[in-house]
Amino acid sequence: MFGIVRPCSHRLGEGLKTQWMAHLCGLCLALRGDHGQFARVVTNYDGLLISVLTEAQAERSTGWRRTAGPCPLRGMRTASVAQGEGARLAAAVSLVLASAKVRDHVADGDGLLARRPVAVAARRVAASWGRAGARTGSAVGFDTAVLVDAVDRQVGIEALAGPGTPLLTVTEPTETATAAAFAHTAVLAGRPGNAAPLAEAGRLFGRLAHLLDAVEDRETDAASGAWNPLSATGTSLAEARRLADDALHGIRLALREAEFTDSRLAHVLLAHELGRSVDRAFGTSGCGHAADGSHRSLDSLDFGNSGDSLGPLGSAVLLGPEGSFGPPPQQGGNPYTGGGNPFGGGPSFQPPTPGKRGFWAGCAAAIGLCCTCKMCCADEYEGPWSRKKRDGCLNDCDCDCGCCEACQCCECCECCSCCDCGL
């Protein structure tokens, strides 16, 4: 999995997390259904935004969901997954852009791709993905040539860019590609009036994706001597952050101009989680609470369209130590440990913690975790060797759960002033 929008399950809440997983699994199964098992490796978090936007605009009807059979990636559980043209468009875009990414790595000679036999095989895979993406795109009325053209122009622009070249000149091909993909979701959903604002949102999302990738890879690229937009154009981190914040604000404004049937998940991902991605890339953090500890209610949180208001927070959640759910710890410490023992002190009566596993036992446990996909889908699992409790990959929490995120915010942060979008 890769992408810049990586939401935390604590912030999504159960309802929106289920929807998000439905689109993620829908993209994965659309890739498998049209292009075979190996194509599933291009499943990515940003690609599912195409499916999310398509469904968010469409009128509610049957056929948007289906029950998928047991899958190892879900711990052999069935699930309701997204299907239809939105998922197929997301698959087409993911394939074409993954094809371009592989070709770019081959051209740069990254890692194993510096070896000729590996590079030859990678080129064949990239060509196959490009053709497959074009076929699927054509099936849903989307011409992937605009994506291929953008990728080809990117190579030429990077070759000519140097100190003093505007950074937005370098990000333009990515902006053009994502604008076309976002705009086509309006066509698929039967809302042609949304094409212009979503094209603008897509253009700015592409800019952000390019900027954040450059920021995150800046030190690595400098160490390896690889090309980086910031270093090549002489752009400072402060200027990159200004451009990122402007793009984020522009996305929020563009989404307000579009009409949605149900905008909750799209809003959380593109207005809130995208902002956190910017903070994460630049090493900053933010909190929805005001400086005085208060927070405002966003009872009418929507994109300016009727019938899409989000209600107030239904209930509060009490957090225990280290963000875990449950009652707060008792005053005076654990009554069954040394100083807190009500029977006059003495040794701890806590049960002993399990010891570490040996190498082969740990290997067996690791295989079991992979086969049941607990490492990916479980909220918590036991480390195969250390036996320490760890969070599942899809529940990797990058937030301070003692803050506003834990309220689950009626599944869209009503109780937290998480952004200045004014929605």
Side-chain angles (χ1 to χ4, degrees):
M1 306 293 181
F2 55 95
I4 64 173
V5 182
R6 304 190 292 271
C8 170
S9 61
H10 292 87
R11 290 192 295 262
L12 285 181
E14 193 60 35
L16 292 186
K17 179 186 175 183
T18 299
Q19 290 186 40
W20 185 79
M21 286 296 299
H23 288 284
L24 184 63
C25 291
L27 170 58
C28 181
L29 293 176
L31 287 165
R32 185 200 67 179
D34 289 344
H35 310 293
Q37 291 284 358
F38 185 65
R40 300 170 82 176
V41 302
V42 307
T43 303
N44 66 95
Y45 295 141
D46 292 346
L48 67 86
L49 290 173
I50 302 296
S51 179
V52 170
L53 282 172
T54 303
E55 187 174 283
Q57 300 171 77
E59 296 295 334
R60 287 292 167 264
S61 62
T62 58
W64 286 100
R65 291 282 191 273
R66 72 178 180 88
T67 300
C71 173
L73 298 179
R74 291 191 299 269
M76 299 308 296
R77 297 190 299 269
T78 61
S80 175
V81 302
Q83 66 172 352
E85 293 184 330
R88 299 189 70 194
L89 175 61
V93 171
S94 296
L95 279 168
V96 173
L97 296 183
S99 171
K101 191 74 172 178
V102 170
R103 293 201 305 270
D104 183 54
H105 284 306
V106 171
D108 292 341
D110 294 335
L112 290 175
L113 296 177
R115 300 181 180 180
R116 182 176 177 79
V118 180
V120 171
R123 287 193 188 96
R124 291 179 179 175
V125 171
S128 174
W129 283 348
R131 292 191 297 269
R135 289 195 303 271
T136 300
S138 177
V140 296
F142 180 66
D143 186 3
T144 59
V146 65
L147 306 183
V148 176
D149 175 69
V151 171
D152 291 340
R153 285 190 296 108
Q154 185 75 55
V155 176
I157 290 174
E158 290 182 359
L160 296 174
T165 301
L167 186 58
L168 297 188
T169 299
V170 179
T171 63
E172 181 275 324
T174 307
E175 296 177 19
T176 300
T178 50
F182 273 46
H184 197 67
T185 65
V187 177
L188 296 182
R191 290 187 183 268
N194 284 352
L198 289 183
E200 177 67 5
R203 182 179 68 83
L204 295 173
F205 180 84
R207 178 182 300 178
L208 261 181
H210 204 130
L211 283 172
L212 300 189
D213 182 64
V215 171
E216 290 177 342
D217 294 345
R218 187 165 174 260
E219 294 183 1
T220 304
D221 290 343
S224 63
W227 195 91
N228 185 281
L230 301 182
S231 303
T233 60
T235 304
S236 66
L237 284 177
E239 174 63 10
R241 180 61 193 253
R242 184 189 68 81
L243 292 172
D245 288 339
D246 286 349
L248 184 62
H249 184 63
I251 289 173
R252 291 166 177 167
L253 293 178
L255 291 177
R256 293 181 67 178
E257 300 299 320
E259 295 183 2
F260 294 89
T261 302
D262 183 352
S263 62
R264 289 176 298 170
L265 182 58
H267 175 81
V268 167
L269 297 178
L270 289 171
H272 295 267
E273 293 301 330
L274 194 53
R276 291 187 173 95
S277 298
V278 172
D279 287 334
R280 181 170 59 243
F282 285 92
T284 59
S285 61
C287 175
H289 288 81
D292 60 357
S294 63
H295 46 257
R296 61 179 178 171
S297 173
L298 301 181
D299 293 342
S300 58
L301 183 61
D302 63 8
F303 288 135
N305 46 327
S306 60
D308 193 34
S309 174
L310 298 180
L313 180 66
S315 62
V317 177
L318 183 62
L319 291 181
E322 299 182 0
S324 61
F325 289 93
Q330 297 179 357
Q331 298 297 323
N334 189 336
Y336 300 104
T337 58
N341 192 335
F343 303 104
S348 171
F349 292 100
Q350 292 181 342
T353 57
K356 295 181 179 180
R357 291 190 180 96
F359 176 76
W360 293 112
C363 288
I367 293 173
L369 288 171
C370 290
C371 290
T372 59
C373 207
K374 285 190 175 182
M375 286 186 178
C376 180
C377 299
D379 290 335
E380 190 179 70
Y381 68 93
E382 188 179 79
W385 287 277
S386 67
R387 307 191 76 164
K388 292 181 180 179
K389 297 297 182 181
R390 304 184 185 278
D391 292 330
C393 296
L394 294 182
N395 294 283
D396 183 18
C397 181
D398 63 354
C399 63
D400 176 8
C401 296
C403 186
C404 59
E405 290 86 357
C407 63
Q408 297 187 5
C409 301
C410 210
E411 299 179 352
C412 200
C413 301
E414 290 90 343
C415 74
C416 311
S417 176
C418 295
C419 69
D420 59 356
C421 58
L423 300 181

